[in-house]
Amino acid sequence: MTTQTTPVTKGAGVTPRRRLRSLVETPEVGVVVACVAVFVALALARDTFANAVNLQGMGFDLAQYGLIAIGESLVILTGGIDLSVGALLGTSVILISWFNVRAGLPAGVAMLATLAITGLIGLWHGIAVTRLKMPPFVVTLVTYTVAQGVTLAITSGTSIVGISGFFGDIGQSYLAQIPVPLILFAIVAVAAWFFLERTFVGRQVYAVGGNPEAARLAGIRGDRRIVSMYVTSSLLAGFGAMLVLGRMGVGSASGVGVGWELQAIAAAVIGGVSLTGGQGRILGIVAGTVLLELITNGLTTLQINSNYTNIVLGGVLGIAILADRLRAKHFSSRA
């Protein structure tokens, strides 16, 4: 008697219904669909929305907001928060300008000096949170306040002019009709994706944010991972300042970076990053940033009063936080 064994097909038992359910439960799907829907709606509502000039302008905006959103998200993944990224970016614009114009340093050296300062600030944030056990909210809020004061103290409310053309070459240039800042943002996003999804250290970041005690028992150096993410967040704020400075052409202290930390947090949460840490992916973060830019630009294109912009963005953030809490409650009840 011959017994025939039916070969097991890879993926057997996974029905289309289960695949669809798994796809729907993925946090990034909703925000990606929302991006497509909002883009189509705005393109139909106003012809100028989808033209090349407006899309390129959104590319410039997306790059400067997206960089600090990625940095903010890395900190949130560890269970922390960084309220200083917006103010730090604004201060970095002034520092680069001051080093370049007032101190007479070459553009590259001015940039490196600013990155060194922002890196040290991020190091302080990490040490204060891990060693001194200070709440991240308080530590970064102090930096937020001090950074704004430093900006005004250096400039006395006036702009620094005469900066090197090097920054304009980066902040205002195109490559095959694509803004160079957008390309740089894409490179950073891919690097962050690779780090989180394809490296052992990146997986440790998720572990530290998801369950710090379990990560400690597993031998993961949680303090190092937390410190490194705060440093990265501050460095990305400094790097984003270079793009902003190149786009403006002057070192201005008026309104640069103000409120951008809320944009960064909103992009992260909308993209599926849990405020409790340990959950979220770069795809969702990028999609969240795109959605916010579409909404902001769309309101401007539709000539809606700018006073309503913050109301709309605040509402979107509130819905995202509510969805985050409901999703967390849903999965905790299934555990």
Side-chain angles (χ1 to χ4, degrees), residues 12 53 70 98 129 139 170 181 216 294:
V53 174
I70 290 176
W98 189 90
V129 170
V139 175
I170 295 178
R216 184 186 68 81
L294 288 173

Side-chain angles (χ1 to χ4, degrees), residues 252-275:
S252 175
S254 59
V256 179
V258 176
W260 290 16
E261 64 282 343
L262 298 181
Q263 291 263 39
I265 295 171
V269 177
I270 291 170
V273 178
S274 174
L275 287 172

Side-chain angles (χ1 to χ4, degrees), residues 67-109:
L67 285 172
I68 61 174
I70 290 176
E72 182 72 56
S73 300
L74 293 175
V75 171
I76 295 177
L77 285 175
T78 66
I81 196 77
D82 189 350
L83 298 179
S84 70
V85 288
L88 192 57
L89 183 145
T91 301
S92 296
V93 168
I94 299 303
L95 288 176
I96 297 172
S97 304
W98 189 90
F99 282 132
N100 181 225
V101 177
R102 305 281 174 82
L105 297 178
V109 178

